[in-house]
Amino acid sequence: MIRQTRKIRIGSLSIGGDSPIMIQSMCSTKTTDIESSLDLIDRLVRSGAGLVRLAVDNLQDVEALAEIRKRTTANLSVDLQENFRLAEKVAPFVDKIRYNPGHLFHLEPKLSWEEKVRYLADAAGEHDCALRIGVNCGSVDPNLLASFADGIRTEDSDPILQSALEHSAYLDSIGFTRYCVSIKDSDPRTVIGVNRRFAQLRPEIPLHLGVTEAGMPPWGVLKSRFALETLLSEGIGDTLRVSLTVPSSRKTEEVEAGSSILKNVEEKKILDIRSCDLPKLNLISCPSCSRVQNGSFIDLAERVAQAVEFAKDYPITIAIMGCRVNGPGESDNADIGLWCGPDCVNLKEDSKFLGSWNYDVILDQVIGLVKKKMEAIRLKNGNFESEK
């Protein structure tokens, strides 16, 4: 299928229309660690990334970004999750600004979201930047979520889809069309459904594809393959990122996985989830980024995956989140949620906060909760065998 989206320029490259699919990644180094960030940007670009994203939350990050811009010709995107007012300060140094409608809601609550988006669009327009509307299942506008409180979902009635549609309509209404949209979920089936529908309703808008918090290889790669290869084979998608929980030394694996996905689509080797032996146990973990508050998060995610292998045939969702951006939302949505802070790990069961434990002792708590969930599932299914 031929893509119908409009072409928009992002630095030295373009997405949409007849442009090649662009692969993206994100720095996992602290933005203020200029040398490490430059090294990682270089490695990602040499691996095939057309755009590299950095997180900017404060003026120190802005100063570091300005220096990074002086020393690299890479196309750079910036992620403004916690301070949209920094847009006018970072715009001179980047090629695209990504904002999250859900997080935007909480900033300067006296302003409407339309006023905030207008500010972002004005800053982007003044400094020759593109925008990305980045909708994420772990952080949706609370007002929009409230309108779906009855739990009913249809093809056209999903909060992340509606968020993308309303923000796109607003940018169009103020004459800003140099933007793309991403609608991400940790469930690849949802990613397929909402992006298909958005492409039907707004076929002219370029789409950035990805499965958010896909997790660790190999399952994170398989989840991404299923969603992205399915959509790309239907002519949906103009740029992509494979979000993997890996340390900085292995960050190029995201780009390599993206390249493999594009090759599979070109060769028509599309992954069908029915041919995948994905475990029913669903491990969600966010990609390592500069907002991770403790590097032990990645090691903990790996230890949890190994320790709960015994539950692979049980439909239990465990979210292991490394920072404050999507940690609260994803950990609330999981059966068992771990939200990793700088010194301890916050543990939740069905969104109920259970307490905080040190990184070196939290695993026993997780294993106990998994066994509890397994027993509840057996009882529900009429199998009364107990773990005890």
Side-chain angles (χ1 to χ4, degrees):
M1 181 184 294
I2 299 174
R3 289 177 291 141
Q4 306 174 53
T5 54
R6 61 186 171 222
K7 184 183 292 189
I8 65 170
R9 183 172 55 83
I10 302 175
S12 63
L13 300 174
S14 295
I15 63 171
D18 59 355
S19 304
I21 306 293
M22 179 192 289
I23 298 172
Q24 302 186 29
S25 187
M26 183 174 182
C27 277
S28 51
T29 52
K30 297 293 183 185
T31 304
T32 50
D33 186 347
I34 294 171
E35 298 303 326
S36 295
S37 295
L38 282 166
D39 175 70
L40 182 51
I41 290 169
D42 181 62
R43 288 193 288 118
L44 291 169
V45 170
R46 284 190 285 110
S47 296
L51 184 69
V52 179
R53 183 157 52 110
L54 300 103
V56 172
D57 294 329
N58 51 53
L59 291 175
Q60 290 75 26
D61 288 337
V62 174
E63 293 172 1
L65 177 66
E67 181 62 23
I68 289 169
R69 175 75 286 170
K70 290 178 185 177
R71 297 169 58 184
T72 181
T73 59
N75 297 315
L76 299 178
S77 174
V78 72
D79 190 350
L80 298 178
Q81 299 277 27
E82 301 185 323
N83 192 342
F84 79 98
R85 289 294 184 188
L86 292 176
E88 62 185 12
K89 296 184 181 298
V90 302
F93 310 120
V94 296
D95 305 293
K96 186 172 74 169
I97 295 173
R98 184 261 190 180
Y99 78 89
N100 182 322
H103 286 291
L104 200 62
F105 170 87
H106 299 286
L107 305 173
E108 297 190 33
K110 291 183 179 180
L111 295 179
S112 68
W113 68 260
E114 291 90 346
E115 290 173 291
K116 299 170 193 177
V117 173
R118 182 64 183 253
Y119 169 83
L120 291 168
D122 287 346
E126 181 180 353
H127 295 283
D128 195 29
C129 289
L131 285 179
R132 168 154 69 107
I133 303 168
V135 185
N136 193 304
C137 66
S139 50
V140 184
D141 184 325
N143 285 338
L144 194 55
L145 275 179
S147 66
F148 292 85
D150 58 9
I152 298 173
R153 299 288 189 273
T154 66
E155 187 179 60
D156 291 325
S157 178
D158 189 291
I160 55 176
L161 172 62
Q162 292 303 317
S163 180
L165 289 170
E166 70 179 15
H167 277 255
S168 299
Y170 179 71
L171 283 176
D172 290 341
S173 74
I174 62 173
F176 189 94
T177 58
R178 192 177 168 192
Y179 69 90
C180 65
V181 166
S182 65
I183 316 173
K184 296 187 178 183
D185 196 282
S186 54
D187 183 345
R189 294 175 180 83
T190 300
V191 171
I192 292 170
V194 294
N195 280 278
R196 272 178 178 161
R197 189 56 180 150
F198 186 89
Q200 291 172 347
L201 296 171
R202 298 301 309 270
E204 78 283 10
I205 298 176
L207 276 168
H208 169 104
L209 302 181
V211 176
T212 192
E213 291 102 35
M216 294 161 285
W219 305 123
V221 175
L222 286 175
K223 287 180 185 178
S224 299
R225 281 194 62 193
F226 170 59
L228 274 57
E229 290 178 7
T230 299
L231 289 167
L232 289 168
S233 68
E234 297 173 4
I236 299 170
D238 303 276
T239 177
L240 64 86
R241 180 191 176 193
V242 179
S243 300
L244 299 177
T245 308
V246 291
S248 293
S249 60
R250 296 173 51 193
K251 202 64 176 173
T252 56
E253 290 181 27
E254 291 191 345
V255 183
E256 293 158 6
S259 297
S260 178
I261 285 171
L262 293 181
K263 183 178 179 181
N264 290 337
V265 173
E266 182 180 354
E267 298 178 352
K268 302 188 185 305
K269 297 178 180 177
I270 311 304
L271 182 69
D272 187 333
I273 201 168
R274 291 170 296 183
S275 65
C276 294
D277 191 21
L278 285 173
K280 294 180 180 178
L281 178 68
N282 183 26
L283 294 179
I284 297 170
S285 58
C286 59
S288 47
C289 78
S290 65
R291 292 192 177 97
V292 169
Q293 296 175 286
N294 189 318
S296 298
F297 151 72
I298 298 171
D299 176 65
L300 176 62
E302 293 173 347
R303 288 192 292 126
V304 169
Q306 294 170 4
V308 300
E309 175 68 16
F310 63 87
K312 65 180 181 180
D313 295 324
Y314 287 77
I316 301 170
T317 296
I318 304 175
I320 310 137
M321 306 301 295
C323 81
R324 59 195 178 274
V325 172
N326 290 316
E330 285 287 4
S331 57
D332 276 348
N333 293 333
D335 298 309
I336 301 170
L338 290 81
W339 175 22
C340 301
D343 302 310
C344 60
V345 182
N346 304 298
L347 184 62
K348 298 178 184 178
E349 179 185 11
D350 302 322
S351 79
K352 180 182 178 181
F353 178 67
L354 301 180
S356 300
W357 283 263
N358 291 334
Y359 278 79
D360 56 351
V361 298
I362 187 71
L363 197 57
D364 288 340
Q365 300 295 325
V366 175
I367 292 172
L369 284 176
V370 170
K371 290 182 177 179
K372 175 184 173 183
K373 295 291 185 185
M374 290 171 63
E375 185 160 355
I377 292 170
R378 286 195 296 267
L379 289 171
K380 182 178 180 180
N381 294 337
N383 182 345
F384 297 98
E385 180 185 353
S386 174
E387 282 287 320
K388 297 179 181 180

